[in-house]
Amino acid sequence: MHLSPKLAAKIISEVQEVVKEDIILVDINGIITSSTDESRIGSFHEGATIVIKSKQKLYIDQVKARVLKGVKAGINMPIMFNKKVIGVIGITGEPKQVEPYADLIRRMTELIIQEAYYTERNEWEIRGIESYLYEWINASSVDKDFLERGFMLGIPVYDTHVCTLMELEIQTLNNYDIHRIQKEIIELFYSIFGKEKHFIVRWGQERFLILKKMDASYNQNYFYSQLNDFKKRFENRYKSTLAIGVGKTACKHMINKSLKEAQKALKVARKNKGIVFYEDLILEIILEDIPTEMQKDFLKRTIHMMEKDQTLIETLQHYINNNQSIKRTAEKMNIHINTLHYRLNKIEELTGINPKTTEGIVIFYISLMLLNSLNR
């Protein structure tokens, strides 16, 4: 760990609001890397080199200030990390008077450096895990060495997993620090799910990949309730939506099939900002694979034929929702049965498709699904 100029600048920024005296931070080469007096940045500080060698604080009076190069009256203290000097902090003024401030700033500086070190190390570990998972997902085969490498990273590669993808609505989070949110999401996730049977990593800026361990205790309803709990907490905290897609195939060693299923489920979930399990999808899976232009062409030849009369589209939706029951549909729409028959006949007249037949209602059911999909 070293005292970088960026970290030094952060420390100076933190303390200058509290202490009015001039403060400097010096690296192990004796060069001032940050200072409340910007004119001193980049200059050599001889007093700091003495502190680095001795590992002891140095009082600098007016006499020493005239003798030592680049110094002012005050006190210099070593910044320690893992029993090594990684820099020096100095504060101007009468040494004995400013010593308490200097010692407080030194302690705070060492805490900031420790926090930065562990944060950086954690980030490197996370990147290493993410890199391994990307490699794992895209692999056509894996060998023992690859699996052992995953095990060393703490990834439970020898267990059977199913993949889940979560996607944030990133546009609504512009006022937040996305990096901080990502960390908080991981913390929130483990607080709900625990760490024994789950594994979560960032999967791009707005997505997360969850590896769910599949064993005899797995219960889909319970997993759904956990995901729903997580979704509600996230949405309440950030006033933003979350879409979740869950794969079906339990995979061991090779998890790309489950990920592809999760991607398809997420595509459906994205439309209603909900939680979708791949195994619950039937018609949606087929429709999602139809190219957009083909979907639009299908709609032109069906439901768009009556787009000038939205009442007919609304009637058709109610008719489908009520399982083609004339009586229930009329009651739900608060219209006379004869009026409903007239509208259904009008639909057939405009489109050439009879909604009272099995073929016709299937066509319109698909049309309404595509229409709703394209309008989201």
Side-chain angles (χ1 to χ4, degrees):
M1 184 68 184
H2 65 283
L3 187 60
S4 67
K6 183 178 179 180
L7 183 57
K10 177 186 176 182
I11 294 168
I12 290 294
S13 176
E14 293 284 346
V15 301
Q16 67 181 352
E17 297 296 325
V18 180
V19 181
K20 301 306 177 185
E21 287 79 5
D22 281 337
I23 303 166
I24 60 170
L25 284 170
V26 188
D27 65 18
I28 57 174
N29 298 311
I31 303 300
I32 298 175
T33 57
S34 187
S35 172
T36 51
D37 179 0
E38 294 185 1
S39 66
R40 300 184 71 186
I41 297 176
S43 61
F44 177 73
H45 194 285
E46 189 175 356
T49 61
I50 296 173
V51 173
I52 292 168
K53 290 177 182 178
S54 67
K55 297 184 179 181
Q56 302 293 323
K57 70 180 74 171
L58 175 68
Y59 298 101
I60 302 176
D61 56 21
Q62 294 295 340
V63 175
K64 287 181 180 178
R66 288 192 293 269
V67 175
L68 298 176
K69 184 178 179 181
V71 308
K72 292 183 179 182
I75 188 171
N76 291 168
M77 288 187 169
I79 300 172
M80 308 295 292
F81 182 77
N82 286 345
K83 300 180 180 180
K84 293 182 179 179
V85 178
I86 63 168
V88 173
I89 187 164
I91 183 169
T92 61
E94 200 286 316
K96 289 296 183 181
Q97 290 182 355
V98 299
E99 183 173 5
Y101 297 108
D103 191 51
L104 180 63
I105 295 170
R106 177 189 62 79
R107 290 174 183 273
M108 189 184 75
T109 299
E110 290 178 347
L111 288 174
I112 292 174
I113 289 170
Q114 288 177 14
E115 181 184 2
Y117 169 76
Y118 289 115
T119 299
E120 183 178 337
R121 189 176 71 172
N122 187 50
E123 284 295 317
W124 276 107
E125 289 177 354
I126 289 172
R127 290 193 194 103
I129 291 170
E130 290 172 353
S131 176
Y132 179 87
L133 286 175
Y134 275 110
E135 187 179 349
W136 192 14
I137 288 292
N138 295 308
S140 57
S141 62
V142 294
D143 55 23
K144 184 178 179 180
D145 289 339
F146 180 84
L147 296 176
E148 288 291 343
R149 182 155 57 91
F151 182 76
M152 294 298 293
L153 285 169
I155 302 173
V157 291
Y158 290 101
D159 294 329
T160 302
H161 292 91
V162 66
C163 293
T164 297
L165 285 172
M166 297 193 307
E167 184 174 272
L168 319 178
E169 191 174 15
I170 205 77
Q171 297 87 346
T172 62
L173 296 171
N174 290 334
N175 295 328
Y176 293 93
D177 178 354
I178 298 300
H179 182 72
R180 178 175 60 81
I181 290 175
Q182 289 176 332
K183 290 177 62 177
E184 290 178 356
I185 284 175
I186 293 175
E187 291 171 0
L188 175 61
F189 179 86
Y190 283 128
S191 72
I192 295 173
F193 291 84
K195 292 188 176 182
E196 290 186 3
K197 297 183 179 181
H198 306 85
F199 197 81
I200 182 171
V201 293
R202 293 172 299 192
W203 205 248
Q205 188 177 27
E206 73 281 356
R207 287 187 182 182
F208 288 84
L209 170 64
I210 301 166
L211 295 181
K212 165 68 177 174
K213 183 178 177 181
M214 301 293 287
D215 56 21
S217 66
Y218 172 74
N219 181 286
Q220 180 175 312
N221 290 334
Y222 182 63
F223 186 42
Y224 174 86
S225 69
Q226 288 180 305
L227 291 171
N228 194 45
D229 183 23
F230 177 88
K231 176 177 165 64
K232 287 180 178 178
R233 290 203 207 177
F234 171 85
E235 293 176 345
N236 287 336
R237 180 182 297 184
Y238 297 107
K239 309 304 178 187
S240 181
T241 56
L242 191 69
I244 302 175
V246 184
K248 174 187 175 183
T249 305
C251 302
K252 188 171 185 178
H253 298 170
M254 301 297 292
I255 59 174
N256 48 2
K257 183 177 181 181
S258 184
L259 179 68
K260 289 177 181 177
E261 292 170 349
Q263 288 171 333
K264 289 186 177 182
L266 178 64
K267 193 173 181 181
V268 176
R270 191 185 296 130
K271 293 170 183 175
N272 58 10
K273 308 303 179 184
I275 302 172
V276 174
F277 284 73
Y278 181 85
E279 61 192 89
D280 294 334
L281 299 175
I282 301 175
L283 188 56
E284 291 90 345
I285 292 298
I286 299 173
L287 298 182
E288 285 298 330
D289 288 335
I290 299 175
T292 301
E293 288 305 313
M294 190 176 294
Q295 293 183 35
K296 291 180 178 179
D297 182 62
F298 183 82
L299 290 174
K300 283 180 183 178
R301 292 186 288 148
T302 56
I303 215 163
H304 282 174
M305 302 289 286
M306 48 182 172
E307 60 185 352
K308 292 182 180 180
D309 191 344
Q310 289 297 314
T311 302
L312 296 180
I313 296 178
E314 181 185 349
T315 300
L316 190 58
Q317 185 68 71
H318 279 286
Y319 185 56
I320 290 173
N321 291 346
N322 288 280
N323 294 317
Q324 300 86 60
S325 169
I326 296 293
K327 182 181 178 181
R328 286 202 302 270
T329 303
E331 289 175 350
K332 189 72 175 179
M333 298 189 72
N334 196 27
I335 59 175
H336 196 276
I337 286 179
N338 290 341
T339 302
L340 178 56
H341 279 296
Y342 170 79
R343 291 181 184 179
L344 293 175
N345 290 335
K346 187 67 175 178
I347 290 172
E348 181 180 7
E349 179 184 326
L350 290 172
T351 64
I353 303 168
N354 185 355
K356 297 178 183 178
T357 65
T358 302
E359 180 184 4
I361 203 62
V362 168
I363 291 173
F364 283 126
Y365 179 75
I366 293 173
S367 297
L368 287 170
M369 286 189 68
L370 292 176
L371 182 65
N372 292 331
S373 175
L374 292 173
N375 286 340
R376 287 194 177 103

